[in-house]
Amino acid sequence: AGLKTKDFVLQREIVLEKGKPFETAKFETTAKNLFRLGHFKNVTQQFESVPGDPNSKIVVFVIDENKTASYQGTISYGSSVGLVGSAAIQDTNFKGKGQSLSLSATIGESSTETYSLSFNDPWIKGTDKISYGWSVYSSSYEDTDSTDAYYVTKEGFKINSGKALTDKIRLRLGTKLEHDKEMNEDDF
């Protein structure tokens, strides 16, 4: 109770079976599954009596949740790029559904700009461990190393989908659509 993480995210990681005898190995696997999500600091169990059945116990998971949202900001200076600032916000348990959402931006004096918005769902609810994700991005910068192009812009979209084959093996496929534009000083 009181957790940000939705019940379905927890339940899909639990390998203990209702009505079956408690097995320490299955509890340890469940705890590893929950820790692997990165949403929790601690996972323990408590046993409660079942009213009217002295031979049965209820296993209660005691979970201590991590903070999953982060905010970052930096300002730096380099002799070749000048002043650069960046900001990012990310939540690795967006709306408690185990999904990741991130937004980032970098802006620099030397006409450098990068923006990105990304989403990932590592296990779509109601599926057999199918995942998907996408990212939209835009970047522009001066190309001081090239004699042909002076200013480069890239805008694109990435999408991927995957399927867990086992607990440790995942098949993932993706594609990217990108528009690149190069301009020299005469194009301005």
Side-chain angles (χ1 to χ4, degrees), residues 18-175:
K18 189 175 183 176
K20 302 277 181 161
F22 179 81
E23 294 179 43
T24 302
K26 285 190 175 184
F27 171 77
E28 289 172 356
T29 299
T30 297
K32 285 178 189 175
N33 290 350
L34 292 170
F35 278 124
R36 191 175 344 119
L37 295 174
H39 308 324
F40 310 106
K41 292 185 226 179
N42 195 18
V43 178
T44 59
Q45 83 277 354
Q46 292 179 348
F47 298 97
E48 295 180 358
S49 298
V50 175
D53 188 352
N55 296 322
S56 296
K57 298 284 183 195
I58 297 172
V59 179
V60 177
F61 287 92
V62 180
I63 298 172
D64 188 11
E65 225 167 6
N66 275 328
K67 294 184 188 230
T68 58
S70 63
Y71 313 93
Q72 292 180 305
T74 61
I75 297 175
S76 61
Y77 179 81
S79 59
S80 63
V81 294
L83 192 61
V84 177
S86 66
I89 182 171
Q90 178 179 16
D91 191 345
T92 58
N93 190 12
F94 184 62
K95 293 187 174 182
K97 297 179 181 181
Q99 303 164 333
S100 294
L101 181 67
S102 65
L103 174 66
S104 64
T106 302
I107 300 172
E109 271 186 322
S110 62
S111 300
T112 301
E113 292 184 13
T114 304
Y115 305 96
S116 173
L117 175 64
S118 301
F119 175 83
N120 185 58
D121 188 341
W123 187 344
I124 300 170
K125 184 179 178 182
T127 67
D128 187 23
K129 296 185 180 182
I130 294 174
S131 64
Y132 82 101
W134 54 262
S135 178
V136 178
Y137 60 92
S138 174
S139 67
S140 57
Y141 57 93
E142 287 183 38
D143 189 353
T144 57
D145 295 333
S146 173
T147 57
D148 297 330
Y150 176 71
Y151 193 72
V152 178
T153 62
K154 296 177 183 256
E155 296 171 335
F157 179 80
K158 298 178 190 176
I159 189 165
N160 67 69
S161 184
K163 166 85 171 86
L165 303 176
T166 69
D167 287 341
K168 298 180 181 173
I169 299 173
R170 175 176 290 279
L171 175 64
R172 178 171 280 171
L173 299 171
T175 190

Side-chain angles (χ1 to χ4, degrees), residues 10-21:
L10 299 168
Q11 290 168 349
R12 66 189 182 194
E13 302 294 343
I14 297 174
V15 296
L16 292 170
E17 299 174 60
K18 189 175 183 176
K20 302 277 181 161

